[in-house]
Amino acid sequence: MRRAAPYLVAMSLAAGSAAATDAEQLARDASDWLLSGQGLPRDYRVLLLQMDSADRLLAIAFLRRVGLLTDRPWTVEDVLRPAQPQTELAK
């Protein structure tokens, strides 16, 4: 049983790193937008509000660093707001 423990830890770490967070996926998408000369999509705020607040903060920081997020600032309330499903945002 003791020999299996390091293997199980390594497998769980590999599985956890394989799944991309919302912020990581948005960073990849934003890099593609930037390299192709596009700006943020019109619904980028909706996309960010659907994320968990921790991922949202990372995504906002990334977008600002790469120069894509230059318009109106995000309030602290919007950054820390719980994730909202698409149906609630349409209201």
Side-chain angles (χ1 to χ4, degrees):
M1 183 67 172
R2 287 185 172 215
R3 289 183 172 205
Y7 177 76
L8 292 175
V9 170
M11 291 302 292
S12 65
L13 289 174
S17 65
T21 65
D22 289 337
E24 291 169 338
Q25 182 60 47
L26 184 89
R28 282 194 289 272
D29 293 343
S31 295
D32 291 341
W33 299 329
L34 187 64
L35 292 173
S36 66
Q38 299 176 350
L40 289 172
R42 289 183 179 210
D43 65 343
Y44 82 92
R45 289 183 81 84
V46 173
L47 293 172
L48 291 177
L49 286 172
Q50 291 173 350
M51 292 181 183
D52 179 59
S53 59
D55 284 341
R56 186 180 311 130
L57 181 59
L58 290 172
I60 290 170
F62 179 81
L63 293 172
R64 286 221 183 268
R65 258 186 305 177
V66 298
L68 287 174
L69 190 58
T70 57
D71 62 345
R72 67 178 204 200
W74 282 74
T75 64
V76 173
E77 291 82 18
D78 284 344
V79 172
L80 298 178
R81 180 180 299 171
Q84 297 176 351
Q86 177 70 22
T87 55
E88 288 184 26
L89 292 171
K91 294 179 183 178

